[in-house]
Amino acid sequence: MIVPENQPSTGRVHSSSPVAHHRVLLAGIAAASVVVLALLGQWLLGERPLVLLGAGAFALSVVLFLLPPLAAGRVSLAPDALSTTADATRPLLRPRQWRWLLVLLSALLAAQSYYLFGGNRLLPGFWFWSGAIACFLLATARRPPRPRAWLAERWRQIDWRVAVLLLAITLLGAFFRVYRLDTVPVEMTSDHAEKLLDVYNVLHGYRPVFFPRNTGREALQFYLTAGLITFTPLELGHLALKVGGAIFGVVTVPFTYLLGRELYGRPAGLLAAFFVAISHWHVAITRVGLRFPFTAALATPALYFLFRALRYNRRNDWLAAGVLLGLGLHTYTAMRIVPLLFLLLVLLKTATDLWQRWREKMAAADDVAAGWKRSFWLNATLSGSAALLLFLPLLRYMLERPDMFWYRAASRAGDGSALAQQWPTFWNNMINALLMFNYVGDVVPANTIPEEPALGLVAGALFPLGCAYLLWRLIRHRERRAAYALLSFFVLLLPSILSLAFPRENPSVVRTGGALPFVMLMVALPLVVAGQRLWRLLGKTRRALLVLGLALLLALAAADDFNWYFVNYDASVRASLWNASEMGREVRQFVEDGGSFERIYHVAYPHWVDTRNIAIMAGDITWRNAVLDLEQIAAHSGQPGRKLYLVHPSHHAAVKMLQATYPGGMIRRYQSERPGKDFLLFVVPDSPAPSSPD
């Protein structure tokens, strides 16, 4: 049986007794040993010849952590209780006839919008769709009987010390996401060019439901970026993409606190939010400028409201979870696993409630949130209806163009061969996905430092302890919250694990982004468990040492992640990606000096820079002068005006052709600040005497 909560302990030992001093000493030594061994283990894992020693240090730290002085002692991590004195139980509209009328109107508007979404057109169906959503929520949402009393109660429940800490953590997260945003990361990939071309099309009137370019993309980022460009000084470029991602990255921080608080209380929520705020994993995928941060930004609040709904069965929580889930499906492909997670969590809640009822002979009226109640399934159905209504535009596109909608996911899932043939790949992918946090991570240089673990030194050291603690709570105490967290963690890794056709793409720091809040909750739990245990044993004069030790550990974590991203990752990107930014500056300078984009050419070379990225960096996304065939150079010779050719230093045939075609041309080697990234600038002066190459 999985029980709802662990019961708090009431036993205390006076700090002045010999037994208390013994326990303090034992717990302090155990805590220090666990932290030192875990940090040592994480450090040794980075030294490949010493991997076995690192694994041994981790194993010993887990054993010490789960012994009675710390985690196995009398520790309670109860989630915050929500007052029910001013519950929102009344409908927003009292006459039932009005509610049914709104439901009918919502259905009619939804049907009309579904029809208008045909042909991958967002407009004019968007306006009918918005009306359908508004009518549905007005008909189904609840309000408190006395709104002023409800607001006053919520105001009194605020712990201002926690609020100040959360604000500070959120500001820290904002700093990590906006500091040097214009220069880190400095370069784009071809994916960025594809996204910016879609944004350019939106700015010029294109309004699709789903963007089919580059194997298909959901729409939210493109409309968000177009809005930022329209209503702010941002220009069409890499920075506009990065600003949108940074905004959603910052939003993830306070929602991680709420999720952690709902499961394991305020200290766990605050520490989980802190580790998200500084996480180089999340900072990197947030600032890269692609759709990656949207999964965590919307899955986290959606799951927070779902956990509240499972606990209290309140209508508004169910609706909020459904709305956020439906909205999230318009962001990134990895979000498509979250509906499955919702279903599994609801079924787990129902199964455990039925088991508990059978074992304890509970009456049906004992628990208003019981999974067998009619109101529970009514609210769950309304939540699913809200999610489906928000998903409606994509539903039409999915049924109209299933090949395009499922193309990217299906291409990664394999060729449909027998399960027995794919099982070894699935098993290896699962192991590799679990190892990404401490041992070997993603290999894509734009998203991370290749093969570096997703967690820093401190977070990586604490993560195995948190996993072990949740498993121990589940097995030893049959704790429901541990089951929720572990199930959510595993399911949210599946978008990466299910890359069966391309196992090299697993582990992926971007497809596992939805698991971020649960990973950081696992990182936070060992500190909360050990800290609570020591806090209860220490006297007031010694607690300052505990706070100081925690502050030093968190400062070490922040400094380590800062150095990882702003020093090591920045250097890795500059060394790995082609320097389109430097080429763009040269092109822009040529235009400012009197040249024109029409007379600038990029001579293509295998595995070199994307012409579109040069155009974006130069300030004209429509520029497309790529020389794919050297015979094109001869055709340019009759064109008047100055010309500029960008050439790879190893493209000797192009250099020979240019010198033969333009004897008066001047060639200059651009000395890049990055080793191996030099390029040639071949400048043709005004009205050169054309000649034909031999």
Side-chain angles (χ1 to χ4, degrees), residues 347-371:
L347 292 177
L348 176 61
K349 156 75 173 175
T350 303
T352 53
D353 281 351
L354 289 171
W355 176 262
Q356 187 176 350
R357 182 187 185 189
W358 179 75
R359 290 293 300 268
E360 300 181 11
K361 311 300 181 185
M362 291 175 60
D366 287 345
D367 186 0
V368 295

Side-chain angles (χ1 to χ4, degrees), residues 68 79 195 199 236 333 360 385 584 632:
K195 304 298 178 296
V199 173
L236 183 66
T333 310
E360 300 181 11
S385 300
Q632 294 176 251

Side-chain angles (χ1 to χ4, degrees), residues 417-611:
S417 57
L419 179 63
Q421 295 177 336
Q422 291 190 328
W423 174 251
T425 303
F426 176 85
W427 180 252
N428 288 332
N429 278 5
M430 184 173 67
I431 294 174
N432 291 335
L434 294 175
L435 292 176
M436 68 176 277
F437 303 106
N438 300 89
Y439 186 46
V440 178
D442 200 336
V443 298
V444 180
N447 304 330
T448 184
I449 301 176
E451 298 189 349
E452 286 280 313
L455 300 179
L457 175 65
V458 175
L462 296 172
F463 174 69
L465 302 177
C467 292
Y469 178 73
L470 286 180
L471 287 169
W472 177 74
R473 295 298 306 180
L474 177 63
I475 297 170
R476 178 66 179 84
H477 296 277
R478 299 179 294 278
E479 185 179 79
R480 182 177 304 187
R481 291 172 293 158
Y484 288 163
L486 289 170
L487 176 64
S488 301
F489 166 69
F490 177 75
V491 171
L492 291 169
L493 294 182
L494 286 178
S496 178
I497 295 173
L498 291 176
S499 182
L500 303 177
F502 301 95
R504 180 63 175 167
E505 295 183 3
N506 174 77
S508 168
V509 292
V510 298
R511 295 175 193 164
T512 57
L516 175 85
F518 295 96
V519 171
M520 296 311 170
L521 179 61
M522 295 176 189
V523 170
L525 282 176
L527 296 179
V528 178
V529 171
Q532 185 185 100
R533 180 67 169 161
L534 290 172
W535 187 268
R536 294 177 59 192
L537 294 174
L538 291 171
K540 292 183 178 180
T541 57
R542 297 178 179 176
R543 288 176 178 173
L545 295 176
L546 179 63
V547 174
L548 178 61
L550 177 62
L552 291 175
L553 189 65
L554 298 183
L556 173 62
D560 178 60
D561 278 318
F562 182 92
N563 182 73
W564 187 99
Y565 183 79
F566 290 102
V567 178
N568 298 335
Y569 169 80
D570 183 31
S572 174
V573 165
R574 291 174 183 272
S576 302
L577 302 184
W578 286 109
N579 49 337
S581 59
E582 292 179 326
M583 297 182 194
R585 284 198 299 269
E586 290 297 312
V587 169
R588 188 190 293 262
Q589 186 62 50
F590 182 82
V591 173
E592 291 175 354
D593 291 342
S596 68
F597 278 102
E598 290 77 12
R599 298 294 179 263
I600 303 173
Y601 302 93
H602 172 226
V603 183
Y605 190 77
H607 311 295
W608 198 30
V609 67
D610 192 321
T611 305

Side-chain angles (χ1 to χ4, degrees), residues 382-403:
L382 291 174
S383 178
S385 300
L388 183 62
L389 186 57
L390 267 292
F391 181 66
L392 191 64
L394 279 177
L395 177 65
R396 176 62 191 267
Y397 185 82
M398 181 184 74
L399 298 177
E400 197 172 68
R401 291 294 309 274
D403 55 332

Side-chain angles (χ1 to χ4, degrees), residues 614-657:
I614 301 175
I616 293 166
M617 291 297 186
D620 185 358
I621 195 172
T622 63
W623 178 69
R624 287 291 185 280
N625 287 0
V627 177
L628 304 179
D629 185 346
L630 295 184
E631 295 301 324
Q632 294 176 251
I633 295 176
H636 301 159
S637 61
Q639 299 171 352
R642 298 174 61 217
K643 301 180 184 69
L644 172 66
Y645 290 86
L646 303 172
V647 187
H648 192 281
S650 299
H651 202 341
H652 303 299
V655 173
K656 182 179 179 180
M657 174 68 77

Side-chain angles (χ1 to χ4, degrees), residues 7-279:
Q7 297 299 322
S9 170
T10 58
R12 293 183 63 90
V13 178
H14 295 291
S15 60
S16 60
S17 66
V19 176
H21 289 298
H22 173 72
R23 288 190 176 182
V24 169
L25 180 62
L26 188 60
I29 293 174
S33 301
V34 165
V35 172
V36 170
L37 283 170
L39 290 172
L40 179 63
Q42 182 59 41
W43 179 75
L44 290 174
L45 286 182
E47 305 294 327
R48 293 295 185 264
L50 304 176
V51 167
L52 292 179
L53 288 177
F58 264 130
L60 186 56
S61 68
V62 169
V63 171
L64 287 176
F65 179 65
L66 295 181
L67 289 177
L70 291 178
R74 294 179 176 180
V75 175
S76 172
L77 296 179
D80 291 352
L82 187 62
S83 174
T84 59
T85 57
D87 194 9
T89 56
R90 293 188 178 184
L92 284 177
L93 298 176
R94 291 188 179 182
R96 180 174 297 181
Q97 297 88 337
W98 283 102
R99 297 201 300 274
W100 281 109
L101 181 62
L102 282 174
V103 170
L104 177 60
L105 181 59
S106 175
L108 292 174
L109 291 172
Q112 178 66 15
S113 66
Y114 181 84
Y115 170 76
L116 293 173
F117 287 140
N120 195 24
R121 298 187 306 269
L122 184 63
L123 296 176
F126 174 83
W127 308 113
F128 293 90
W129 177 53
S130 301
I133 295 170
C135 290
F136 180 82
L137 295 178
L138 285 172
T140 56
R142 294 290 184 261
R143 67 177 179 87
R146 293 178 297 171
R148 290 184 179 179
W150 181 82
L151 289 173
E153 181 185 7
R154 291 293 183 269
W155 184 263
R156 289 193 299 270
Q157 288 178 346
I158 296 175
D159 187 329
W160 291 104
R161 294 172 300 177
V162 172
V164 171
L165 282 174
L166 180 59
L167 176 61
I169 291 170
T170 304
L171 291 175
L172 177 65
F175 168 76
F176 268 79
R177 283 152 186 81
V178 301
Y179 175 63
R180 294 172 56 195
L181 186 61
D182 57 333
T183 58
V184 185
V186 67
E187 299 296 351
M188 299 189 297
T189 66
S190 294
D191 280 343
H192 293 89
E194 301 283 359
K195 304 298 178 296
L196 288 171
L197 286 169
D198 282 327
V199 173
Y200 176 82
N201 290 337
V202 170
L203 292 170
H204 288 78
Y206 185 46
R207 298 291 185 270
V209 169
F210 188 84
F211 288 77
R213 187 195 303 272
N214 194 20
T215 72
R217 295 293 186 271
E218 292 81 0
L220 192 144
Q221 186 194 24
F222 306 112
Y223 289 111
L224 170 67
T225 307
L228 289 172
I229 294 171
T230 301
F231 298 108
T232 71
L234 289 170
E235 298 178 352
L236 183 66
H238 195 191
L239 183 59
L241 290 174
K242 292 195 282 187
V243 167
I247 292 171
F248 276 80
V250 174
V251 167
T252 309
V253 175
F255 277 116
T256 299
Y257 161 73
L258 293 174
L259 180 66
R261 186 192 69 178
E262 184 61 33
L263 289 173
Y264 283 100
R266 294 180 182 180
L270 286 171
L271 283 172
F274 173 82
F275 282 106
V276 169
I278 66 167
S279 166

